[in-house]
Amino acid sequence: MFITFEGIDGVGKSTQLDMLERFLVDNGKQVLRTLEPGGTELGQEIRHLLLHRKGDVSARSEALLYAADRAHHVATKIRPALEAGKVVLSDRYFDSSVAYQGAARELDVDEVRNISLWAVDNLLPDLTVLLDLPADEAMRRRGNKGTEPDRLEREQVEFFERARNEYLKMSNQPRFLVVDASLSPDEIHQQVIGRVSALLDQ
Ligand code: TYD
Protein backbone atom coordinates (compact mmCIF):
# COMPACT_ATOMS: atom_id res chain seq x y z
CA MET A 1 0.00 0.00 0.00
CA PHE A 2 1.26 3.40 -1.02
CA ILE A 3 0.04 6.44 0.98
CA THR A 4 1.05 10.04 0.28
CA PHE A 5 0.52 13.22 2.29
CA GLU A 6 -0.02 16.52 0.53
CA GLY A 7 -0.78 20.13 1.36
CA ILE A 8 0.88 23.52 1.25
CA ASP A 9 3.80 24.32 3.56
CA GLY A 10 2.72 24.69 7.19
CA VAL A 11 -0.36 22.42 7.32
CA GLY A 12 1.23 19.84 9.65
CA LYS A 13 2.09 16.90 7.39
CA SER A 14 5.08 15.72 9.46
CA THR A 15 3.05 15.45 12.67
CA GLN A 16 0.42 13.35 10.92
CA LEU A 17 3.03 11.18 9.22
CA ASP A 18 4.64 10.52 12.63
CA MET A 19 1.27 9.51 14.09
CA LEU A 20 0.29 7.26 11.17
CA GLU A 21 3.71 5.61 11.09
CA ARG A 22 3.39 4.78 14.79
CA PHE A 23 -0.13 3.42 14.28
CA LEU A 24 0.98 1.15 11.43
CA VAL A 25 4.06 -0.14 13.25
CA ASP A 26 1.96 -0.83 16.37
CA ASN A 27 -0.32 -2.87 14.11
CA GLY A 28 2.55 -5.02 12.91
CA LYS A 29 3.09 -3.41 9.51
CA GLN A 30 6.46 -2.93 7.90
CA VAL A 31 6.68 0.71 6.95
CA LEU A 32 8.93 2.73 4.68
CA ARG A 33 8.67 6.38 5.66
CA THR A 34 10.08 8.67 3.02
CA LEU A 35 9.83 12.16 1.51
CA GLU A 36 10.17 14.30 -1.60
CA PRO A 37 12.33 16.00 -2.53
CA GLY A 38 15.29 14.14 -1.02
CA GLY A 39 14.20 10.55 -0.37
CA THR A 40 17.43 9.12 -1.82
CA GLU A 41 21.11 10.10 -1.77
CA LEU A 42 20.85 11.52 -5.28
CA GLY A 43 17.61 13.17 -4.20
CA GLN A 44 19.35 14.88 -1.26
CA GLU A 45 21.63 16.60 -3.75
CA ILE A 46 18.67 17.58 -5.92
CA ARG A 47 16.86 18.86 -2.81
CA HIS A 48 19.81 21.07 -2.03
CA LEU A 49 19.79 22.47 -5.59
CA LEU A 50 16.06 23.17 -5.37
CA LEU A 51 15.80 24.68 -1.92
CA HIS A 52 19.13 25.96 -0.69
CA ARG A 53 21.36 26.87 -3.62
CA LYS A 54 21.85 30.61 -4.17
CA GLY A 55 20.40 32.07 -7.37
CA ASP A 56 17.40 31.50 -9.58
CA VAL A 57 15.97 28.24 -10.87
CA SER A 58 13.77 28.67 -13.95
CA ALA A 59 10.25 27.25 -13.68
CA ARG A 60 10.71 24.43 -16.21
CA SER A 61 14.07 23.53 -14.72
CA GLU A 62 12.45 23.39 -11.29
CA ALA A 63 9.72 21.08 -12.59
CA LEU A 64 12.29 18.75 -14.16
CA LEU A 65 14.47 18.65 -11.04
CA TYR A 66 11.47 17.61 -8.91
CA ALA A 67 10.60 15.02 -11.54
CA ALA A 68 14.18 13.72 -11.60
CA ASP A 69 14.19 13.37 -7.81
CA ARG A 70 10.89 11.51 -8.01
CA ALA A 71 11.95 9.17 -10.83
CA HIS A 72 14.97 7.96 -8.86
CA HIS A 73 12.96 7.79 -5.63
CA VAL A 74 10.30 5.55 -7.16
CA ALA A 75 12.75 3.32 -9.02
CA THR A 76 15.18 2.73 -6.16
CA LYS A 77 13.08 3.01 -2.98
CA ILE A 78 9.32 3.10 -3.40
CA ARG A 79 8.76 0.28 -5.90
CA PRO A 80 11.18 -2.13 -4.18
CA ALA A 81 9.48 -1.46 -0.82
CA LEU A 82 6.00 -2.03 -2.27
CA GLU A 83 7.21 -5.25 -3.89
CA ALA A 84 8.55 -6.36 -0.50
CA GLY A 85 5.05 -5.90 0.95
CA LYS A 86 5.76 -2.76 2.94
CA VAL A 87 3.41 0.14 3.50
CA VAL A 88 5.07 3.19 1.94
CA LEU A 89 4.35 6.59 3.52
CA SER A 90 5.62 9.54 1.53
CA ASP A 91 5.71 13.17 2.64
CA ARG A 92 4.70 14.61 -0.79
CA TYR A 93 4.59 12.98 -4.24
CA PHE A 94 3.69 14.16 -7.73
CA ASP A 95 0.54 16.03 -6.69
CA SER A 96 2.99 18.52 -5.13
CA SER A 97 4.44 19.19 -8.57
CA VAL A 98 1.00 19.65 -10.09
CA ALA A 99 0.04 22.13 -7.34
CA TYR A 100 3.36 23.98 -7.00
CA GLN A 101 5.04 23.86 -10.44
CA GLY A 102 1.77 23.61 -12.39
CA ALA A 103 -0.62 26.00 -10.64
CA ALA A 104 1.56 28.12 -8.34
CA ARG A 105 4.42 28.62 -10.86
CA GLU A 106 1.82 28.94 -13.62
CA LEU A 107 3.15 26.26 -15.93
CA ASP A 108 0.59 24.05 -17.66
CA VAL A 109 -0.92 21.79 -15.00
CA ASP A 110 -1.55 18.84 -17.34
CA GLU A 111 1.94 19.02 -18.81
CA VAL A 112 3.51 18.99 -15.35
CA ARG A 113 1.34 16.02 -14.35
CA ASN A 114 2.35 14.15 -17.50
CA ILE A 115 6.07 14.75 -16.93
CA SER A 116 5.72 13.38 -13.41
CA LEU A 117 3.68 10.38 -14.51
CA TRP A 118 6.33 9.56 -17.09
CA ALA A 119 9.02 9.92 -14.40
CA VAL A 120 7.32 7.37 -12.14
CA ASP A 121 6.09 5.08 -14.92
CA ASN A 122 2.50 5.77 -13.83
CA LEU A 123 2.76 4.64 -10.22
CA LEU A 124 -0.25 6.14 -8.39
CA PRO A 125 -0.80 6.18 -4.62
CA ASP A 126 -3.60 4.07 -3.13
CA LEU A 127 -4.45 6.93 -0.79
CA THR A 128 -3.52 10.60 -0.75
CA VAL A 129 -4.27 12.57 2.41
CA LEU A 130 -4.69 16.25 1.65
CA LEU A 131 -4.35 18.48 4.71
CA ASP A 132 -6.21 21.63 3.80
CA LEU A 133 -5.74 25.09 5.29
CA PRO A 134 -6.06 28.64 3.91
CA ALA A 135 -2.69 29.93 2.70
CA ASP A 136 -2.50 32.85 5.15
CA GLU A 137 -3.16 30.54 8.10
CA ALA A 138 -0.54 28.02 6.91
CA MET A 139 2.01 30.82 6.54
CA ARG A 140 1.23 32.06 10.04
CA ARG A 141 1.84 28.59 11.45
CA ARG A 142 5.09 28.29 9.54
CA GLY A 143 6.25 31.64 10.86
CA ASN A 144 5.79 30.35 14.41
CA LYS A 145 8.36 27.60 13.81
CA GLY A 146 11.09 30.23 13.65
CA THR A 147 13.19 28.35 11.06
CA GLU A 148 14.90 30.09 8.14
CA PRO A 149 12.61 29.92 5.05
CA ASP A 150 13.92 27.97 2.03
CA ARG A 151 13.64 29.18 -1.60
CA LEU A 152 10.02 28.07 -2.01
CA GLU A 153 8.93 29.22 1.43
CA ARG A 154 10.02 32.74 0.49
CA GLU A 155 7.15 32.96 -2.04
CA GLN A 156 4.16 35.27 -1.38
CA VAL A 157 0.78 34.16 -0.06
CA GLU A 158 -0.74 34.20 -3.60
CA PHE A 159 1.67 31.45 -4.66
CA PHE A 160 0.41 29.18 -1.87
CA GLU A 161 -3.21 30.15 -2.60
CA ARG A 162 -2.81 28.93 -6.18
CA ALA A 163 -1.25 25.68 -4.92
CA ARG A 164 -4.04 25.17 -2.37
CA ASN A 165 -6.77 25.73 -4.97
CA GLU A 166 -5.17 23.22 -7.33
CA TYR A 167 -4.96 20.64 -4.53
CA LEU A 168 -8.67 21.15 -3.83
CA LYS A 169 -9.47 20.79 -7.54
CA MET A 170 -7.67 17.46 -7.87
CA SER A 171 -9.10 16.12 -4.61
CA ASN A 172 -12.35 14.93 -6.19
CA GLN A 173 -10.47 11.80 -7.31
CA PRO A 174 -11.42 8.72 -5.24
CA ARG A 175 -7.88 8.20 -3.93
CA PHE A 176 -8.06 11.48 -1.96
CA LEU A 177 -9.03 12.07 1.67
CA VAL A 178 -9.33 15.78 2.41
CA VAL A 179 -8.97 16.76 6.07
CA ASP A 180 -9.47 20.19 7.61
CA ALA A 181 -5.99 20.93 8.95
CA SER A 182 -7.33 23.40 11.52
CA LEU A 183 -8.63 20.45 13.58
CA SER A 184 -6.52 19.10 16.44
CA PRO A 185 -3.75 16.60 15.56
CA ASP A 186 -5.76 13.83 17.26
CA GLU A 187 -8.95 14.60 15.37
CA ILE A 188 -7.05 14.60 12.07
CA HIS A 189 -5.32 11.34 12.97
CA GLN A 190 -8.70 9.67 13.69
CA GLN A 191 -9.94 10.58 10.21
CA VAL A 192 -6.73 9.30 8.64
CA ILE A 193 -6.71 5.95 10.44
CA GLY A 194 -10.42 5.50 9.66
CA ARG A 195 -9.62 5.55 5.97
CA VAL A 196 -6.34 3.61 6.26
CA SER A 197 -7.98 0.84 8.33
CA ALA A 198 -10.74 0.48 5.74
CA LEU A 199 -8.10 0.11 3.01
CA LEU A 200 -6.09 -2.42 5.01
CA ASP A 201 -9.23 -4.53 5.61
CA GLN A 202 -10.03 -4.77 1.90
P1 TYD B 1 9.10 19.88 2.12
O1 TYD B 1 10.17 18.88 2.30
O2 TYD B 1 7.71 19.46 2.34
O3 TYD B 1 9.39 21.18 2.97
P2 TYD B 1 9.93 21.27 4.49
O4 TYD B 1 11.11 20.37 4.61
O5 TYD B 1 10.25 22.73 4.59
O6 TYD B 1 8.77 20.84 5.32
O7 TYD B 1 9.18 20.42 0.62
C1 TYD B 1 10.09 21.34 0.21
C2 TYD B 1 9.44 22.31 -0.74
O8 TYD B 1 9.38 21.76 -2.05
C3 TYD B 1 8.03 22.71 -0.35
O9 TYD B 1 7.96 24.14 -0.36
C4 TYD B 1 7.18 22.17 -1.48
C5 TYD B 1 8.13 22.06 -2.62
N1 TYD B 1 7.80 21.03 -3.64
C6 TYD B 1 7.45 21.44 -4.92
O10 TYD B 1 7.36 22.62 -5.23
N2 TYD B 1 7.22 20.46 -5.87
C7 TYD B 1 7.31 19.13 -5.60
O11 TYD B 1 7.10 18.29 -6.48
C8 TYD B 1 7.67 18.74 -4.25
C9 TYD B 1 7.81 17.29 -3.90
C10 TYD B 1 7.91 19.73 -3.30
Side-chain angles (χ1 to χ4, degrees):
M1 183 182 302
F2 180 22
I3 302 173
T4 60
F5 276 69
E6 295 285 356
I8 57 175
D9 295 75
V11 295
K13 290 187 298 301
S14 320
T15 307
Q16 288 305 317
L17 276 153
D18 288 346
M19 293 169 91
L20 179 58
E21 182 178 14
R22 203 169 319 123
F23 170 83
L24 289 167
V25 169
D26 288 349
N27 281 278
K29 302 291 173 198
Q30 280 202 311
V31 177
L32 170 72
R33 161 89 177 264
T34 187
L35 80 166
E36 291 190 359
T40 61
E41 257 180 53
L42 173 65
Q44 287 290 335
E45 295 191 34
I46 297 173
R47 181 183 175 92
H48 178 79
L49 293 175
L50 280 163
L51 301 180
H52 303 298
R53 188 181 161 276
K54 283 211 185 71
D56 279 353
V57 183
S58 68
R60 282 170 193 257
S61 171
E62 183 181 284
L64 289 167
L65 284 168
Y66 278 111
D69 166 69
R70 183 163 302 127
H72 192 65
H73 189 208
V74 166
T76 65
K77 275 187 82 176
I78 296 180
R79 275 195 201 275
L82 292 172
E83 278 158 18
K86 294 184 184 165
V87 178
V88 176
L89 296 183
S90 186
D91 187 342
R92 300 189 179 280
Y93 190 52
F94 74 81
D95 299 314
S96 283
S97 282
V98 176
Y100 280 78
Q101 281 64 55
R105 276 290 178 240
E106 300 179 278
L107 293 173
D108 184 288
V109 166
D110 292 325
E111 286 177 359
V112 171
R113 184 183 296 105
N114 287 337
I115 287 168
S116 270
L117 283 172
W118 179 79
V120 303
D121 201 7
N122 294 311
L123 179 70
L124 292 176
D126 300 293
L127 169 64
T128 299
V129 179
L130 172 59
L131 299 179
D132 179 57
L133 204 61
D136 54 352
E137 180 56 30
M139 285 180 98
R140 222 180 346 265
R141 285 202 194 178
R142 238 195 302 135
N144 295 338
K145 269 202 308 189
T147 47
E148 212 25 51
D150 61 39
R151 192 177 58 85
L152 270 86
E153 287 170 341
R154 288 196 289 272
E155 291 292 339
Q156 304 295 311
V157 67
E158 294 76 23
F159 178 89
F160 297 100
E161 268 164 8
R162 288 195 293 277
R164 182 208 184 193
N165 290 338
E166 191 61 37
Y167 272 133
L168 288 173
K169 253 199 240 170
M170 67 177 86
S171 69
N172 61 3
Q173 300 169 72
R175 72 176 157 93
F176 273 84
L177 170 70
V178 185
V179 187
D180 175 355
S182 69
L183 297 172
S184 74
D186 272 325
E187 287 171 311
I188 297 171
H189 179 59
Q190 289 310 316
Q191 294 193 28
V192 172
I193 61 175
R195 182 74 173 260
V196 169
S197 303
L199 272 178
L200 287 171
D201 290 343
Q202 270 177 16

